Amino acid sequence: MTAPTPYLYFSGNAREALTFYADVFGGAAQLHTLAEFNRTDGPADAIAHGYLTGGPVALFAADASGDKLPFRAEGLMLSLLGAAAPSVLRKWFAALAEGGRVVDNLQRRPWGASDGQVIDRYGLHWLVGFEGDETD
């Protein structure tokens, strides 16, 4: 691992969230239940540990159980600036916006770059953008 990777606790929908992110970014969601880890601090089919594999975005998640509180954030964005070709970033932005909320449309800025912000259906705030040719 070369950079910090978010680890999120969800309110019982970690399976759904990680599957969504795998669909958006490509790759797969690797999911392990509480039962697999011999844990009894929540429903047996709850996610004890999950992560994205085989895609360009790293993310870990689990269902909040025991004394863990579910994810909630203010003043935090996950940056996808230059993380892929402009056409891919546009696709990701649109997919993240489905069921979420566009904060600032993905658009060309006066300084020549393009960017936008979206809060997805699970509450993650994303900054998506790129430099250069908007038609790539």
Side-chain angles (χ1 to χ4, degrees), residues 13 25 34 61 68 95 99 102 117-118 133:
N13 59 350
F25 300 118
L34 292 179
K68 303 288 189 265
V102 173
Q117 297 177 36
V118 61
D133 184 7

Side-chain angles (χ1 to χ4, degrees), residues 41-100:
D41 55 332
D45 63 344
I47 300 303
H49 178 64
Y51 53 95
L52 300 180
T53 64
V57 173
L59 185 66
F60 295 101
D63 286 315
S65 60
D67 62 352
K68 303 288 189 265
L69 296 175
F71 164 76
R72 193 178 130 260
E74 295 176 12
L76 171 75
M77 286 190 292
L78 300 178
S79 171
L80 294 171
L81 296 174
S87 59
V88 172
L89 288 165
R90 270 194 222 75
K91 179 181 163 205
W92 289 352
F93 186 90
L96 291 167
E98 289 178 22

